Amino acid sequence: MTNLSSLFHTHIAERQRTTDEALAETGFDTLVISSGKVYTHFADDQDAPFHPTPHFAHWCPMAGPHHILVIRPGQRPRLIRYAPEDFWYEQLPLGNPFWAAEFDIEEVGTVEDAWKRLGTPARAAYIGNETDRAETANLELNPVGLTARLDWHRTNKSAYEVQNIEEATVLAARGHLAAKAAFLAGASELEIHYAYIQAVGIVDHEMPYGSIVALNEKGATLHYEGKRTLKNGSVMLIDAGAQVRGYAADITRTVAAPHCDSRFADLVDGMVKLELQLCDIVKPGLPYGDLHHQGHLAIAGLLRDHGILKATPEEAVEKGLSRPFFPHGLGHHLGIQVHDVAGRQGAPDGTMAPPPPQHPTLRTTRTIEAGQVFTVEPGLYFIPMLLRPFRENEHKDRFDWKLIDELTPCGGIRIEDNLLVTTGGHRNLTRPHLPN
C-alpha cells in the first residue's frame, strides 16, 4: 500500500529546498501564499467553483479559501487554517490528514484573524489573489522573478505528485470505459457525459476541466462544450479527465462505431498507432518541439497514405499543408493545472522560449527532462474554416477535395496519453489503465 505520508514528506523537503533557493536569488526572506478568495459572479450572489492558488496546492492539498501558508528558509512551514463557524455551508474538521505533520498549524475563525496572525513580515513576497490584504501587510505582490522560479520547478514532479496523477488516471480510465460503452450502445453526447461522471463518482464541478464529448462533425471543434441529445453517432471524440488531491489526468480517445465510414475508421486506427509511436520517442534530452515536428511528419504521412494529401511528409510540413489538419500543439505539461505552467520558459528566471513561427500553437518548448509529466495528443481534423484557404491557393491540387468533403461530417480524431519521463525513457501512465 502506498505510504502517502512518506511521499509527502519527501515532496515538502524538495519544495522547501527549491523555494529557499528562489527566495535567496530574488532577495526575499519570506514567502506568503494564500489558498485564495472565492470568485463571485458580477452583480450576483453566486460563486464560481473554487480553485485554490496553484502554488498553495503545490505545498498543501487542503481544500477551501483564505488559508495562509508562510515559508521561511530553515523553518517548518506555518499554515494558518481558516475554519469559520458557519451554518450556511458545511465546515468539516481538519482531522488528522497524512500531510498535517509537515506544518505548524494554527486555526482561526475569520479571514481578518488569519491576516492578523500573519502580521507584516519584512522582505516578504506574496503569491495569490487576496492582493488588497497582502498589500496592507506590506507584502510584494506576485513578484515575477520569484513566481517564474517556482513555476520552473513545478514541471518536474515528485513521487507524491506522480502518485496523485496515477490515481486520477485510474478514475478517468473508468469513466472512459463507461463512455465508450454508452456510445456504442447509441447514447447521446449528454448521456455519454452522464455515464462518464457516474462511473468516476463525481459531479461536474469536481472535474479538472469541462468534458468534451463530441459526436460526428463536432469532433472538429477542438474545445467543443455542447452536450447534444443526438443519438447513434458514427464517431465519438471524448476528452475528459479526473483529479485527485488537486492533480489531474487528461485523456482523449476517439471511437468509430460499426456503421462509421470505413475510410474514417481506418484513419482512427492509424492515429492510434501513430500516437503510440510518438510516445515511444519520448526520452530525456529531446526538445519537445522536435517531438511535435515528428508528429506533423507522421500525420502528413498518414494523410498521404490515405490519399488525402498528394505530397511527401517533408514537403507537406515544409509548405504548411499538414497544419489545417493538425492545428494545435502535440501536448502540454500536466499537474496541478491541466495546462501546467512553464512550458514556454527557457530558464528558471522566466526568460521565455517562444514557439517557432511555423508552430505558433506549441505549448511546450522545453527540452524533455526526467521527472516531467506531459501529454502526447496528436490530432487529425476536417475543419472547413482552416481548409478553405487551401481550396484556392497554389497548393489546391495537393488535396483530394472530394474525399475531404466526404470525410468532413466525421469531424476529427484525437488520441491522448499522459507520460512520465524517466531517466531511461518514459512511462505511459495511461495505457495500463486504458489500453485502447
Side-chain angles (χ1 to χ4, degrees):
M1 185 174 178
T2 302
N3 187 335
L4 281 175
S5 297
S6 176
L7 291 178
F8 190 74
H9 177 77
T10 304
H11 172 76
I12 287 297
E14 182 64 9
R15 300 286 65 74
Q16 189 78 55
R17 183 188 70 80
T18 56
T19 302
D20 288 357
E21 288 179 0
L23 289 170
E25 290 169 354
T26 52
F28 294 104
D29 295 335
T30 303
L31 172 61
V32 177
I33 312 173
S34 73
S35 63
K37 62 182 178 181
V38 174
Y39 174 79
T40 303
H41 296 293
F42 178 72
D44 202 344
D45 64 354
Q46 294 291 311
D47 297 333
F50 176 70
H51 292 175
T53 303
H55 289 93
F56 182 93
H58 199 205
W59 276 85
C60 180
M62 183 167 60
H66 302 306
H67 311 305
I68 299 175
L69 187 61
V70 185
I71 302 149
R72 293 188 174 96
Q75 299 182 23
R76 277 167 57 87
R78 178 185 172 204
L79 179 60
I80 303 172
R81 179 177 184 251
Y82 170 61
E85 286 192 287
D86 188 354
F87 62 88
W88 284 101
Y89 299 102
E90 182 182 27
Q91 302 294 330
L92 297 176
L94 178 61
N96 187 30
F98 68 88
W99 50 264
E102 303 300 327
F103 303 96
D104 289 333
I105 301 176
E106 309 165 36
E107 287 200 354
V108 296
T110 69
V111 178
E112 290 73 19
D113 283 345
W115 286 88
K116 284 179 183 177
R117 290 282 187 97
L118 171 67
T120 55
R123 295 167 58 83
Y126 169 76
I127 294 177
N129 66 358
E130 297 180 83
T131 51
D132 291 347
R133 294 181 184 277
E135 191 169 25
T136 300
N138 200 33
L139 309 180
E140 184 165 335
L141 307 180
N142 298 306
V144 173
L146 176 60
T147 302
R149 286 167 169 82
L150 299 177
D151 285 348
W152 179 268
H153 290 296
R154 278 175 54 190
T155 57
N156 290 76
K157 302 299 188 285
S158 68
Y160 165 75
E161 294 178 284
V162 174
Q163 175 67 28
N164 292 335
I165 295 170
E166 288 203 84
E167 288 185 36
T169 300
V170 171
L171 294 177
R174 190 182 301 161
H176 275 269
L177 291 171
K180 180 178 179 179
F183 164 68
L184 292 176
S188 69
E189 293 169 353
L190 183 61
E191 291 167 333
I192 293 166
H193 171 74
Y194 288 156
Y196 184 95
I197 61 172
Q198 183 175 22
V200 178
I202 56 176
V203 294
D204 278 33
H205 75 260
E206 294 176 303
M207 297 186 74
Y209 58 95
S211 70
I212 298 168
V213 183
L215 298 185
N216 304 344
E217 80 287 354
K218 296 300 183 181
T221 300
L222 301 185
H223 283 176
Y224 171 69
E225 297 181 351
K227 299 290 185 291
R228 297 178 297 175
T229 56
L230 168 75
K231 292 178 177 286
N232 296 307
S234 298
V235 184
M236 175 187 70
L237 188 157
I238 176 168
D239 186 336
Q243 57 183 346
V244 168
R245 291 181 285 276
Y247 287 82
D250 179 7
I251 303 170
T252 307
R253 291 293 184 263
T254 305
V255 182
H259 59 275
C260 177
D261 187 315
S262 62
R263 297 169 298 179
F264 193 85
D266 289 343
L267 283 173
V268 173
D269 291 341
M271 285 293 289
V272 171
K273 295 173 184 175
L274 182 156
E275 189 264 354
L276 288 171
Q277 290 166 358
L278 290 173
C279 290
D280 286 343
I281 299 172
V282 171
K283 63 180 180 180
L286 176 70
Y288 196 92
D290 290 359
L291 183 65
H292 175 81
H293 183 72
Q294 290 300 315
H296 264 279
L297 288 172
I299 289 168
L302 186 65
L303 291 166
R304 177 202 57 189
D305 293 345
H306 287 261
I308 296 166
L309 272 183
K310 305 168 188 176
T312 65
E314 293 76 14
E315 182 184 12
V317 174
E318 179 187 352
K319 296 182 182 301
L321 308 184
S322 60
R323 267 186 277 170
F325 297 99
F326 178 32
H328 58 76
L330 184 66
H332 52 80
H333 287 290
L334 179 69
I336 294 166
Q337 291 169 259
V338 176
H339 295 153
D340 217 356
V341 292
R344 290 183 174 182
Q345 268 185 238
D349 65 3
T351 301
M352 299 304 290
Q358 65 270 33
H359 299 303
T361 59
L362 186 59
R363 292 182 185 272
T364 302
T365 56
R366 297 273 292 272
T367 296
I368 295 172
E369 299 176 6
Q372 292 179 352
V373 175
F374 52 70
T375 67
V376 173
E377 49 178 311
L380 193 166
Y381 314 89
F382 295 89
I383 305 174
M385 68 173 289
L386 296 184
L387 288 164
R388 193 177 303 128
F390 290 87
R391 290 181 182 268
E392 300 299 332
N393 70 14
E394 69 273 22
H395 304 302
K396 62 183 179 181
D397 294 335
R398 299 302 185 96
F399 298 78
D400 185 332
W401 293 112
K402 181 176 182 295
L403 179 55
I404 288 171
D405 289 342
E406 290 170 353
L407 294 178
T408 294
C410 295
I413 306 163
R414 184 164 65 252
I415 312 295
E416 178 183 23
D417 288 340
N418 306 156
L419 270 63
L420 167 67
V421 185
T422 64
T423 54
H426 70 275
R427 181 160 65 90
N428 192 316
L429 303 178
T430 308
R431 292 287 169 164
H433 310 291
L434 191 66
N436 300 308

